[in-house]
Every structure is written in structure tokens, then in C-alpha cells.
Amino acid sequence: MRSLGLGLLGLGLIFWWLTRPDILADADLDFDQPNLANGELMFHAGSCAACHEADLRGGMELKTDFGIFRVPNISPDPETGIGRWSQTDFANAMLRGVSPEGKHYYPAFPYTSYTRMQVQDVVDIMAYIDRLPPVQHVVADSELGFPWSIRRGIGLWKLRYLNPEPWLELAGGADAALLRGRYLVEGPGHCSECHTERDAFGGIRLKRWMAGAPNPDGEGRIPNITPDASGLAEWSIRDITYFLEAGLTPDYDTVGGSMVAVQENLARLGSDDRAAISAYLKALPAKVNAD
């Protein structure tokens, strides 16, 4: 029995070590004075208000197979929002998925995409949010069943799924527009979080990158946005760019569903950025829609 107890203790210590949060310290962050204009641009590139509400009060419920996730208040309110967070706190949340208290965030918060962002852009977003009106609004905790309720276990999940490297490898000498498009789509835009299928543990299926996925709202599917016949094969870069600007498809249909708010945010980007996003999407490997 003693050896069994020691073995269990050893396994517990290994679990505790493997699941420890990977936390950035102040000294790990290298950035310049915050740029509010860039912070606003990145805020819209990430469509932050689409999930956190227009005033960032939070409260939206995301119903999943793992339980109900509730989107938090990220307004600069010091009591119910992030008004007391430091720049390092915000960077840890965005790039590492770790709270100011040193606890793992659940990946319903798309830090698996944000981890690809540059520290400067993250700091700029916080500076922009800090200048928005604070909203006092308490959001209830998420409701998850066992074993997903064991937050510490997310540390193991991160070992498998949290990767700051770009997904799409580009040939040497790739032009600046394509590199910018990759950054916007894979990082702040977090497009794969909705447009890519997930496995049984909620991780992105990289082999199905951007090939469409079940609609988290429960009706239909999120479309394939790779250049396959079931996706964007017939769309030109100009078509995609115009869709992001005006919400109109090449056959004059209009954007719908949860994409409406996303498109409205992307319309606030510069035309060069929208064209860069379009170039990236056309450069993706074509994937057949599972449906």
C-alpha cells in the first residue's frame, strides 16, 4: 500500500508539473509606447465586440459539448472588467491563455490563435480598450461537467494544441501582403476557430484547416473558405476583398449569421489589409468540404 501511495503521489506531482501555467514576466515583454490607432485596428481585426458585446460587458453564452462558456466582461471597469490588469496580465491572457491569478483559461477564449500575435499589437489593443467607457456588469461563471471542470487539466491540453508557429508555410521571398494576410487570419482574426473542425477534445483539426465546421450556434455549417470547389475556388481575390468590405458575395447574396458582426469589423480595416486577408485565403491548400 505504501508503494501504491508513493506511486500515486509521484503521478500527482508529474501532473502538477506538466500542467503548470506558462507565464510571461515583465522582462519577457519587449514593446514600444502603445499605439492607439494600431490598437483600434487590431481590436476590429479580432472582432472583439462580436463576442464581448458592443460595450464589452460580456455575457454571451456559448453552449458546447463540454458545457456552457460565458464570455467575460473586458471593459476597463476595475471591479467587473479588466480595469486593474497590467500590460503583462493582458499579454499572458492573450498569448498564454493564463489569468492574472495564474489559472488556465479555457480555449473557448481563442488564445490558440492569439498566441501568434506580436506583443506590440497585444499591448496596443489593451491601450485602446483602456480608453473605452468602463461598464459594471458581473458575468456568471461558466458551467462545465467533469472532467472539463478541472481547470488545471487545460495545461495538458495546451501541450498538445497551443502552438505559436504559423500554420501555413510560405516559400522564401513571399511578398509582404501574403505575410500580412497570414498574420491577420491566423492571429488576431482567429478565423480557424470557427472555420475549422475540432476533435473530441476541442482542438483544431489541422488537416481540415479552414475547410468548414459545424455551426456552434447549432444550425448548418460554417463554410469552407479554402480555394476548393466547395469553398472559394470561384472567388477572386477582388471578390473576397469586396465581400469583407461590403458583405456581398459575387452572386449578390449578403453575409448572414454570426459573420455579419465579423464582416462589419473587417470593413473597418484598410483596403490593403482586406486584400492581404484575401490573398492568404487563396493561397491555402484546397480542402474538400466534409459535407
Side-chain angles (χ1 to χ4, degrees), residues 101-267:
E101 296 76 32
K103 295 181 179 180
H104 294 297
Y105 281 122
Y106 286 104
F109 169 36
Y111 54 78
T112 47
S113 291
Y114 297 152
T115 190
R116 298 182 176 94
M117 291 182 65
Q118 298 171 4
V119 170
Q120 185 68 53
D121 287 340
V122 170
V123 170
D124 290 348
I125 290 174
M126 183 179 181
Y128 174 73
I129 290 176
D130 279 346
R131 284 158 178 78
L132 297 177
V135 180
Q136 191 168 58
H137 177 67
V138 177
V139 176
D141 292 337
S142 298
E143 299 177 24
L144 304 175
F146 182 84
W148 318 116
S149 56
I150 303 176
R151 189 181 292 264
R152 182 82 183 193
I154 295 297
L156 292 179
W157 189 94
K158 288 179 177 179
L159 292 176
R160 172 65 179 84
Y161 298 108
L162 188 62
N163 181 3
E165 296 300 317
W167 182 84
L168 180 66
E169 292 187 14
L170 299 175
D175 64 44
L178 192 54
L179 290 170
R180 176 68 170 177
R182 181 178 69 177
Y183 178 74
L184 290 171
V185 171
E186 295 192 16
H190 63 280
C191 305
S192 65
E193 304 290 337
C194 285
H195 287 277
T196 307
E197 293 177 351
R198 296 177 181 272
D199 61 24
F201 299 102
I204 294 291
R205 293 184 184 274
L206 293 180
K207 291 183 179 180
R208 302 293 304 153
W209 186 263
M210 300 292 210
N215 188 340
D217 293 336
E219 298 182 4
R221 284 181 64 86
I222 303 297
N224 182 341
I225 54 173
T226 73
D228 180 74
S230 59
L232 300 179
E234 301 302 318
W235 292 44
S236 67
I237 289 178
R238 180 176 294 182
D239 290 335
I240 301 171
T241 303
Y242 185 67
F243 173 79
L244 297 177
E245 177 186 1
L248 292 174
T249 68
D251 56 2
Y252 302 104
D253 195 4
T254 57
V255 62
S258 57
M259 186 63 192
V260 171
V262 175
Q263 181 273 317
E264 289 175 345
N265 276 280
L266 294 178

Side-chain angles (χ1 to χ4, degrees), residues 4-184:
L4 176 60
L6 290 174
L8 291 174
L9 176 61
L11 288 174
L13 291 173
I14 292 173
F15 172 81
W16 197 255
W17 184 80
L18 288 174
T19 59
R20 70 197 187 283
D22 179 16
I23 299 175
L24 294 166
D26 292 349
D28 297 322
L29 304 181
D30 182 18
F31 57 88
D32 298 325
Q33 186 72 17
N35 182 321
L36 291 179
N38 183 59
E40 181 177 9
L41 184 149
M42 287 295 147
F43 178 88
H44 293 303
S47 299
C48 303
C51 285
H52 292 277
E53 306 297 343
D55 59 4
L56 305 186
R57 69 173 56 222
M60 179 189 291
E61 291 189 347
L62 306 174
K63 297 180 181 179
T64 74
D65 294 338
F66 308 102
I68 300 174
F69 296 96
R70 293 187 174 91
V71 179
N73 182 340
I74 61 166
S75 80
D77 180 68
E79 301 298 330
T80 63
I82 64 172
R84 293 181 177 174
W85 286 25
S86 68
Q87 292 169 322
T88 303
D89 290 336
F90 194 74
N92 271 308
M94 293 283 286
L95 304 176
R96 295 291 188 270
V98 179
S99 75
E101 296 76 32
K103 295 181 179 180
H104 294 297
Y105 281 122
Y106 286 104
F109 169 36
Y111 54 78
T112 47
S113 291
Y114 297 152
T115 190
R116 298 182 176 94
M117 291 182 65
Q118 298 171 4
V119 170
Q120 185 68 53
D121 287 340
V122 170
V123 170
D124 290 348
I125 290 174
M126 183 179 181
Y128 174 73
I129 290 176
D130 279 346
R131 284 158 178 78
L132 297 177
V135 180
Q136 191 168 58
H137 177 67
V138 177
V139 176
D141 292 337
S142 298
E143 299 177 24
L144 304 175
F146 182 84
W148 318 116
S149 56
I150 303 176
R151 189 181 292 264
R152 182 82 183 193
I154 295 297
L156 292 179
W157 189 94
K158 288 179 177 179
L159 292 176
R160 172 65 179 84
Y161 298 108
L162 188 62
N163 181 3
E165 296 300 317
W167 182 84
L168 180 66
E169 292 187 14
L170 299 175
D175 64 44
L178 192 54
L179 290 170
R180 176 68 170 177
R182 181 178 69 177
Y183 178 74
L184 290 171

